[in-house]
Amino acid sequence: MGFFDNLFPGRGDPFGAGNGMSHSIDLTRRRPTVSLTKQGAASGNLRVNLSWRMRTPDLEYRSRASGDLLRHPMRLFRPAEVPSHTQGLAKVDLDLGCLYELTDGSKGVVQPLGDLLGEINEPPYVKLSGDDRLGSGSGETIHVNLDHRDEIKRLLFFVYIYDQTPAFDRTQATVTLFPSNGPQIEIALDEHAPQARSCAVFMVENVKGELVVRREVRFVYGFQSELDRLYGWGMQWGQGFKSRT
């Protein structure tokens, strides 16, 4: 049976989409780390999901607008009035990526740009399952095969805005980790950084055989090359593009 035969609900258990745990751990500035090893989750499939949606004020505006139409039905025939900060929100395209470094010294990136989707049963043991361009409920997901944890030195998960329009302050983005055991781990990208184009969200490091997740939530104004510089990956970067769908 292939690895991905077990990634989805109803197809098996060992690398399933979660363990049904209803509670979660929030990584914050005050509590920035958690050990996957200590909670018995340093093996199997680690699922990392990015999701985002409109921020609450935009939703409240639409709710108020709907109420106004009920009281004043003739407004239905007027041109729609939309707050300026919601202009183009539907075009915001957040991408999830992962910089990896293995214990043999090999380095690289898994991301939608350049169709660098990775591999799950061979190096780098990191696989992007898809590219969500609309902020749907499923979001974007990267799978990590922790059965090869001894070959993984560190993984830096990051989020960037593909269309280069700063908009982190207009979305409610959350990255959620679903380990093979124990509660899910949530990291909110909730710090005020309206001009940032990328964010280093969290690091997974192999520290003397212990897998530790550390919150970063470090916003930058550049892209992958700037994250590379900040975390010392030492790779060469060029311009990349997504394939058309």
Side-chain angles (χ1 to χ4, degrees), residues 115-171:
D115 292 326
L116 301 172
L117 304 182
E119 296 291 343
I120 198 68
N121 288 316
E122 58 186 67
Y125 310 111
V126 179
K127 177 73 174 180
L128 177 67
S129 64
D131 179 20
D132 176 16
R133 303 191 181 189
L134 298 175
S136 66
S138 60
E140 294 191 0
T141 301
I142 289 179
H143 299 273
V144 182
N145 186 347
L146 293 183
D147 287 338
H148 292 271
R149 60 189 176 278
D150 292 337
E151 299 174 61
I152 297 173
K153 181 177 181 180
R154 58 175 180 162
L155 306 172
L156 177 66
F157 286 83
F158 61 92
V159 174
Y160 62 95
I161 300 176
Y162 174 67
D163 61 8
Q164 303 184 21
T165 302
F168 277 112
D169 64 326
R170 293 158 54 195
T171 60

